[in-house]
Amino acid sequence: IARIVGAIDLPDDDRIQFCFAPVAVNAKDAAEMVGTWAKMHAAGQPVKLLLDERVDELLTSDAGDVDKRLMGLETVYRLAEGYCWLAWRFRRSFVDLDLGTEVKKRCSDAIAELLPR
């Protein structure tokens, strides 16, 4: 994440906040998403969650590979958590805090349903 965010024209304090966002740093797609949010923030644009289609796809999928769905839901949950964390720090630009909270709830409910009892 530091390499991606380091290439974006941000104040040092903002850059550090993005680097400390609680997302899975070893997931390439997670780092890219944080980079996308950082670019939007640096441009002064409203920073959207950008996970709507992804979560809907995971929640409506009837795919038999439960492990793959669980991994996808966990990744989306972590990204939504990172987004919410950043939204508390950058309230003016991160405009989807409520949606991020909703996505986390939907993911955690779906994960609970998929786990063996």
Side-chain angles (χ1 to χ4, degrees):
I1 292 176
R3 288 180 196 259
I4 292 171
V5 173
I8 300 169
D9 186 23
L10 285 166
D12 288 342
D13 290 345
D14 289 8
R15 186 175 289 122
I16 289 168
Q17 293 296 328
F18 278 95
C19 289
F20 287 139
V23 296
V25 295
N26 58 346
K28 182 181 178 194
D29 58 338
E32 289 173 356
M33 181 63 74
V34 173
T36 299
W37 293 335
K39 287 177 188 172
M40 294 171 78
H41 176 73
Q45 300 172 344
V47 181
K48 299 295 221 166
L49 182 61
L50 304 175
L51 296 173
D52 307 30
E53 291 179 18
R54 196 165 169 185
V55 73
D56 288 342
E57 180 183 310
L58 286 165
L59 293 175
T60 59
S61 173
D62 288 334
D65 190 349
V66 173
D67 289 340
K68 193 172 189 176
R69 285 186 65 204
L70 281 170
M71 283 181 53
L73 288 164
E74 290 170 9
T75 298
V76 170
Y77 181 95
R78 287 187 180 119
L79 282 168
E81 177 66 22
Y83 181 93
C84 291
W85 189 89
L86 288 163
W88 280 104
R89 282 142 184 87
F90 303 114
R91 292 177 186 237
R92 290 186 183 186
S93 58
F94 280 71
V95 297
D96 284 341
L97 177 59
D98 291 340
L99 180 59
T101 301
E102 177 189 324
V103 165
K104 287 175 26 181
K105 171 86 169 98
R106 291 174 67 199
C107 287
S108 62
D109 289 347
I111 289 168
E113 286 181 29
L114 288 171
L115 291 174
R117 307 215 183 255

